[in-house]
Amino acid sequence: MESFLFGEIGNLIDSYSLDLTNIMTCASKASTVDDHLLNQQQLKLPDAIQESSNLQVQKPNRDQWCSVCGGEVMYIIIHRFGTDDFNQSTKGLLSYVKEVFGFDNAKFNQIFQTAKERPHPKRLVKVEVLQARDLEAKDVNGFSDPFCMLGIVKNTDIDFRRDTPAQRGGSLRNKTKKEKKPKRSGSGSGSKLASGKAVELYDGKILMTSIQYETLNPVWNETFQFEVDNVQNDILHIDMWDHDDDVTVLDAASKVMKIKSVTGISRYFKQVLQSATTASDESVDDFLGCIDVPLSEISATGTEGWYDLQARSSRSNVQGQCQLRIQFSTAKESGFHLYDPRELYAAVNQKFAEYEADLFYSQNKDKFWDCDLSVQTLSILSQIAMHYDLTVCQQSIHAVNCICKIHNYKHIEYKVLANELKQISGQSLDKYPEDVEEFVSCLEEFVNRSMVIFRHVRDVFRYKDEKSLVRLNDLLKCLELIYNIPEFQRKHLHKTLLEDIQDAFKDGTEKWYINQRGLFTPKTESIQSEFKAFIELANNLFIDLYAARNYYNNLFTRLGEDYFTTVFLTIDYLVARDVQKMMEALDDSSLECSDKVDKLTFQFYFTLKEIAKYRLQLEAHNQSIKLKLDLLYKWFTPFIKLWFDFAHESSINRIKKAVEIEEVEVIDSYVKYSTSAVDTSCCFQQICDFWKALDWPDADDAFVLLSNIVSDICTVGSCYVDLIYDRLHRVHFYDDEGQFDITDQLCITLNNLDHVRRSLQSLPEQLKFDKVVSGLSHHGTVRAENCRDQLLNIIQSGDENFEVKISALIDNIGKKMGVDINQFIQQFSKVPENVEIYQALNPLLQYLDSNLIKLNECLFGGVFDKIVVKILNVVMENFWNLVNTKCTKPAQYYERLWDCLQILLEFFVADGDGVKMNVILNDGFYQMSSSYLTKAKLDTGILIGKYFTDKLEYQAKTNDYFGSLTFKVFYSSTAQSLFVNEKSTKIVKKTLDPYFGETFTFNISDKLCATSGAVVLFTVMDHNILRKNDYAGECVVSINKVPGLSWDENVPGMGADLPEIELKLTHPDISGEIFAILNNRTSDKEAMAFVKKRTNMYEAAQDSLP
């Protein structure tokens, strides 16, 4: 190794004595180090050297600093050893040092020669025996008591252990496992091992670990150090033994030490091995395996790993692994190291990092340096760390310090810094007291700089730049690691990262907002300009809140910081503050009412409402937070009534103009109303949308405002109805003259009214009545519901106006169609009876069908239903007039009319698609026609029976009292006779309660008794001698179900058990439908006889009345 290094250096000297102009140097390109950075990089020389040094260490100039630092780096490169993980040559590294420090050829040669002439450093290797696993059990208890022997041997003697034969007893692997005897105490070599302390042999060139008892997985964590003569040829050799208390390897080593002929470490190991092996059954230490590690394979940065235990010969068998950590360093004696190690490492790290950073930024204007040092720099730093025995933690501390200083004036990537901080995280820094102060100071600088960046997070980390957000995420990882370092926390007064970030965000958001306000300054001193400027500003606020919620918040949430909430609440405060000042500065003269001002005012208002709506994107537990913008409605209250007044007036004018200029015609088959209805409904909808957007928070004020809004809308609706009604008058729609036709214009007018009316009826939902009423619940349920009723009454009043006008229009349509319908019905009545009824009725049906098809095509469903019902009513009215005409037609004529009624009924029902059956059945004219024809089509006998059936019903429920009649009635089936206790009785004088006691027999068949309407009529008369008898009353009894109608017993026996029947006496009635029908049948003798008899009885009864 030595010859190799000197040969390399000789070549270097020769090359540097030649022309070095071809060696690339970027010193002139790189920016010079600032003075404050130079002061940070001052080297502290040891005291002895400081006294003899001509350098002004306190304030060195740049050349002096470069000479001192560069010379030390060259010295380390010249004497570098260990495997270079970065595959760099000595020549290449020296060239790079020349480039970084900006040395010219003469300066470089001078410094190089000085470094070369310094004494060589003493090389050391530090070995940490950490632990072993899965060892072979040498004892009968299933365990071993392992310990290790370590030393450096020459590569030429590496085969010494393989030729050692098994002595007398054969291979140790075949020996019977021995039983352990009690451990000895006292002096001697055995006691040293048992004490657990490492033991030195062969003048300290062989070291031994402590013994770990009864384990196959021992843990030592013991460190040993050896001087290295030749890194290329030396080998670290380790023997592992199982300890025995009687005869130990240490005893064998003592015997070997007495042999004068034993020279060399490798020979010593061999003799110890041979001495420890016996031929008897004597208990000795057992060999567990060995490890050989060539130092030429050890990296300058050190190595750590598990090494397999090897057998000492081909006949041996071992198992298990041992974990080692091996590192190089150099001795600290004066003459080798001129400078404080950590100061030199920090200065070199800083110098090379700044050089590479400046070089990167000179070639990449729009990128960020990733802090990943070049392989040349990493190779040099690894050699410095190795020479000065700097731990990984120390190296990371200096790397962090370096990056933090660069971060003060350059934007960087943060991944490397995060990795370095991870190396430090969780480690105790108490063993590096000289490094901690500067380290913490650099961390504070980094944190302070980071907080400045967070104040400008919108500019530094653009939310649409994915790479930028990755940088932000890496920065947050770094800060998390920093705030978890106890030393930093103590210096930082235990303030949390969350607190610092929140402060930075609040301050940064406020400054950003102020800057944005400055960008949108009103162009003139007017309220309009103020509003316009703020609306433009709001667009940027929306973008910022969107970015905060959807981008930045995702990154900061894992820290516990709700970035969006912090930003939103800050903006809420700032916006509310400015808007309140703006609105309070307004005077009454500023409250104009114009379309332009009102639109701008409420555009401003709703813009602020949109900002406040971001509350809904807060976390659920934060959505109840009271915002400053919650008071927004109070600042705009003066504008609200002005706007509603203006909206009402504008709506009226707009509707008037729409009705005036519109052409009422069909534009499209799918559009069944005209522009005036659209404009009117749009006016309603705009007011509703405005109200919903207002979302007025004060419930009491909201009810008052809503009442006015509903009243205004109903007024606008009534205005539209009146305008349509007046237009129909102007076109003579209500005149009786001229032919009437169902036209498109008429249908569109009806649809217009219905469309606007439905818009009016939807107001409770559109204006959110339920929400307003529920907001009044603090006044009590009764009062809240009363308020709802007030609102509904306003709508109902407006709806009634529509209903009246629409009904009047439909009634007029029915009236005009009634003329034609009456003509068709009259034509039908004159058609001969031999003409088939459908043919006779067809003209009317065709007329109705054509008009209803036209109406169905042009009208909305609701309007069509109403007008069909009206047409039905008109048809039924004219049909009733025909039915009710007094004539002497027979029952067959009325049966034909009945069939006609059924056809009309079937027409309007239309298989369930037309008028609902219950609507038809409730029509008054239909009811009268149906009732009359049901009777008029019957035969006279049946009709007379129905007359008496009605008489029975009247007799049962009348309150008139003319006395009563008691009798018995029964029927004998065998005799086919009806027995009644009187027919024409004897006269009973001078009494009001006569008793007759007479029985009369009527020969009548049982079939006739069962006929509907079959009765026995009792007439009671007052006998007079000088004048005709007076009428006292009458009663009837149905014989449909008289006792005995189905019996076979003899009449006397059966009659004795019958109960008496008492009926009220009534007077005759000739006013009903049935009597009128019978009275019209002048050509029917039966009918005329019945009518005459009942008329005589009626007259007699009338004459007997007082």
Side-chain angles (χ1 to χ4, degrees), residues 822-831 840 843-844:
N822 182 61
Q823 292 177 358
F824 286 116
I825 289 179
Q826 292 301 324
Q827 292 175 9
F828 165 77
S829 66
K830 297 175 182 178
V831 174
L844 172 61

Side-chain angles (χ1 to χ4, degrees), residues 789-1058:
D789 292 341
Q790 291 180 36
L791 296 173
L792 293 176
N793 288 338
I794 297 173
I795 294 177
Q796 183 178 357
S797 177
D799 184 68
E800 287 175 355
N801 188 28
F802 274 86
E803 179 65 28
V804 168
K805 296 298 172 61
I806 291 175
S807 296
L809 181 57
I810 291 176
D811 288 345
N812 197 61
I813 293 173
K815 177 181 176 183
K816 288 181 175 292
M817 290 184 66
V819 176
D820 295 331
I821 290 171
N822 182 61
Q823 292 177 358
F824 286 116
I825 289 179
Q826 292 301 324
Q827 292 175 9
F828 165 77
S829 66
K830 297 175 182 178
V831 174
E833 293 184 3
N834 60 350
V835 176
E836 203 273 328
I837 190 168
Y838 275 102
Q839 182 180 351
L841 199 59
N842 189 56
L844 172 61
L845 297 179
Q846 285 186 343
Y847 171 79
L848 294 174
D849 194 50
S850 62
N851 282 282
L852 289 176
I853 289 174
K854 176 71 173 179
L855 291 169
N856 188 44
E857 290 176 350
C858 299
L859 292 177
F860 289 132
V863 180
F864 175 75
D865 291 342
K866 290 180 181 179
I867 203 166
V868 170
V869 171
K870 182 61 183 178
I871 293 173
L872 167 71
N873 179 260
V874 172
V875 171
M876 292 303 164
E877 181 181 6
N878 284 275
F879 187 78
W880 165 247
N881 292 336
L882 174 63
V883 169
N884 198 38
T885 301
K886 291 185 178 182
C887 63
T888 60
K889 300 289 184 178
Q892 293 79 4
Y893 170 78
Y894 292 103
E895 186 170 3
R896 183 179 176 86
L897 289 182
W898 171 262
D899 293 340
C900 176
L901 181 64
Q902 300 309 306
I903 293 173
L904 291 174
L905 177 66
E906 180 181 339
F907 174 82
F908 281 103
V909 172
D911 296 328
D913 296 329
V915 182
K916 300 298 181 182
M917 181 62 73
N918 64 311
V919 175
I920 298 177
L921 296 178
N922 288 328
D923 183 84
F925 293 111
Y926 172 81
Q927 290 176 344
M928 289 188 292
S929 297
S930 178
S931 176
Y932 189 88
L933 292 177
T934 300
K935 303 178 181 72
K937 67 176 183 172
L938 299 176
D939 292 337
T940 299
I942 297 174
L943 201 57
I944 292 173
K946 283 191 171 293
Y947 174 87
F948 282 111
T949 299
D950 292 345
K951 179 71 174 179
L952 287 169
E953 293 176 1
Y954 172 76
Q955 179 180 278
K957 63 183 181 182
T958 184
N959 292 323
D960 296 338
Y961 187 73
F962 298 100
S964 63
L965 180 66
T966 303
F967 57 89
K968 292 182 179 181
V969 59
F970 51 91
Y971 183 80
S972 173
S973 297
T974 55
Q976 290 287 294
S977 299
L978 179 70
F979 296 90
V980 183
N981 63 344
E982 59 218 25
K983 180 177 180 183
S984 178
T985 66
K986 62 184 179 181
I987 298 172
V988 180
K989 296 182 178 180
K990 298 180 181 179
T991 181
L992 296 178
D993 300 299
Y995 174 74
F996 302 103
E998 300 180 44
T999 300
F1000 301 92
T1001 302
F1002 298 92
N1003 296 323
I1004 185 171
S1005 66
D1006 54 0
K1007 183 177 181 180
L1008 182 61
C1009 290
T1011 302
S1012 176
V1015 297
V1016 176
L1017 174 64
F1018 296 90
T1019 303
V1020 180
M1021 305 292 291
D1022 178 27
H1023 178 70
N1024 290 319
I1025 298 176
L1026 299 178
R1027 53 187 177 88
K1028 65 180 180 178
N1029 298 329
D1030 292 328
Y1031 185 85
E1034 67 181 13
C1035 66
V1036 294
V1037 59
S1038 173
I1039 60 175
N1040 294 153
K1041 296 180 180 180
V1042 297
L1045 192 60
S1046 59
W1047 297 355
D1048 292 329
E1049 290 82 354
N1050 293 326
V1051 173
M1054 179 177 56
D1057 298 330
L1058 289 177

Side-chain angles (χ1 to χ4, degrees), residues 240-458:
M240 188 178 296
W241 297 84
D242 171 43
H243 171 68
D244 181 77
D245 287 330
D246 290 332
V247 180
T248 68
V249 170
L250 191 56
D251 296 330
S254 299
K255 296 177 182 179
V256 173
M257 288 294 291
K258 297 176 181 179
I259 303 174
K260 295 182 179 180
S261 61
V262 177
T263 59
I265 299 299
S266 58
R267 184 62 181 170
Y268 185 85
F269 271 111
K270 183 175 182 179
Q271 290 296 326
V272 170
L273 180 61
Q274 291 176 343
S275 299
T277 307
T278 66
S280 65
D281 292 335
E282 181 184 359
S283 179
V284 297
D285 290 349
D286 284 331
F287 183 72
L288 292 174
C290 65
I291 298 172
D292 287 322
V293 183
L295 297 186
S296 61
E297 297 177 0
I298 304 301
S299 167
T301 57
T303 185
E304 180 180 335
W306 288 90
Y307 293 84
D308 292 332
L309 292 170
Q310 304 293 326
R312 67 175 181 273
S313 71
S314 60
R315 291 171 295 178
S316 301
N317 183 30
V318 298
Q319 67 180 45
Q321 294 176 312
C322 184
Q323 186 183 24
L324 305 175
R325 183 183 295 128
I326 308 172
Q327 292 177 298
F328 288 124
S329 65
T330 57
K332 306 301 186 290
E333 289 87 349
S334 176
F336 294 117
H337 300 153
L338 299 180
Y339 310 105
D340 182 276
R342 60 186 184 82
E343 293 292 339
L344 176 67
Y345 185 90
V348 172
N349 194 348
Q350 191 74 31
K351 175 64 177 176
F352 278 76
E354 287 176 352
Y355 170 79
E356 293 184 6
D358 290 341
L359 181 62
F360 174 86
Y361 284 115
S362 68
Q363 298 171 354
N364 302 275
K365 299 294 184 182
D366 300 325
K367 295 183 180 180
F368 302 103
W369 185 46
D370 60 8
C371 300
D372 202 358
L373 299 175
S374 66
V375 291
Q376 297 97 320
T377 299
L378 292 175
S379 179
I380 292 171
L381 291 175
S382 68
Q383 285 291 326
I384 297 174
M386 181 191 70
H387 275 258
Y388 290 121
D389 195 21
L390 296 179
T391 66
V392 173
C393 182
Q394 285 178 296
Q395 296 174 54
S396 295
I397 287 174
H398 295 305
V400 169
N401 292 348
C402 175
I403 296 174
C404 289
K405 291 172 183 176
I406 294 175
H407 184 254
N408 285 334
Y409 64 97
K410 295 287 186 182
H411 290 301
I412 63 172
E413 300 283 359
Y414 297 98
K415 278 189 171 63
V416 172
L417 177 59
N419 291 333
E420 297 294 350
L421 287 168
K422 287 178 184 177
Q423 295 290 339
I424 303 170
S425 179
Q427 298 205 32
S428 173
L429 303 183
D430 294 340
K431 51 187 175 182
Y432 313 117
E434 296 179 345
D435 296 320
V436 169
E437 183 177 355
E438 182 182 1
F439 175 61
V440 172
S441 177
C442 289
L443 292 182
E444 284 196 308
E445 290 180 6
F446 180 84
V447 168
N448 292 337
R449 174 66 176 167
S450 297
M451 294 308 147
V452 172
I453 290 175
F454 284 147
R455 291 185 184 95
H456 300 85
V457 66
R458 299 165 177 83

Side-chain angles (χ1 to χ4, degrees), residues 766-804:
Q766 291 290 330
L767 294 175
K768 307 294 183 184
F769 280 15
D770 289 342
K771 182 178 179 180
V772 175
V773 171
S774 64
L776 297 171
S777 59
H778 60 281
H779 292 300
T781 304
V782 174
R783 183 171 177 182
E785 290 302 319
N786 287 339
C787 292
R788 185 200 300 275
D789 292 341
Q790 291 180 36
L791 296 173
L792 293 176
N793 288 338
I794 297 173
I795 294 177
Q796 183 178 357
S797 177
D799 184 68
E800 287 175 355
N801 188 28
F802 274 86
E803 179 65 28
V804 168

Side-chain angles (χ1 to χ4, degrees), residues 512-523 533 536-537 540:
W512 175 83
Y513 174 82
I514 293 172
N515 180 57
Q516 293 294 314
R517 281 281 282 161
L519 296 176
F520 298 100
T521 304
K523 296 180 180 180
E536 292 174 356
L537 167 65
N540 285 9

Side-chain angles (χ1 to χ4, degrees), residues 453-467:
I453 290 175
F454 284 147
R455 291 185 184 95
H456 300 85
V457 66
R458 299 165 177 83
D459 301 318
V460 178
F461 302 105
R462 300 283 183 178
Y463 75 92
K464 289 186 178 180
D465 185 350
E466 185 175 346
K467 292 182 178 179

Side-chain angles (χ1 to χ4, degrees), residues 158-177:
I158 194 61
D159 60 345
F160 75 93
R161 58 183 176 79
R162 299 191 181 96
D163 299 328
T164 304
Q167 302 292 326
R168 292 184 295 275
S171 174
L172 292 177
R173 180 172 58 87
N174 298 323
K175 291 179 62 177
T176 304
K177 292 184 179 179

